[in-house]
Amino acid sequence: KPIGEQLTLTPSITVNRMEYTEGDNNGRGDTSYLATLVVAYTISEWVNVSAATNYMWKRSSESNLDFEDFIGGVTMGFNYAF
């Protein structure tokens, strides 16, 4: 979503449910969640910078399989047409 002429904010949330019905995992259920936020800023016609962060967590009917993960990063882009 554009916040202004130079700044863009893009949030996202995803939920995934997995039910296991066969094998060693029969009866197990997992729910995974992913929250993402990307902020992009255009410095000039040919330079931009963006920052992104992801937070993912999983909850399982088998609690030893639960986990959380957080990752983020910054990128800088240069555009040139010839």
Side-chain angles (χ1 to χ4, degrees), residues 20-67:
Y20 297 89
T21 58
E22 296 180 7
D24 293 338
N25 292 312
N26 188 22
R28 183 178 128 201
D30 295 345
T31 305
S32 298
Y33 307 88
L34 175 63
T36 303
L37 179 63
V38 178
V39 179
Y41 183 76
T42 302
I43 297 170
S44 72
E45 181 179 312
W46 55 276
V47 179
N48 62 68
V49 64
S50 63
T53 185
N54 291 325
Y55 178 64
M56 182 177 190
W57 64 104
K58 181 177 87 171
R59 297 297 176 252
S60 177
S61 58
E62 296 184 23
S63 61
N64 63 318
L65 298 174
D66 291 353
F67 75 87

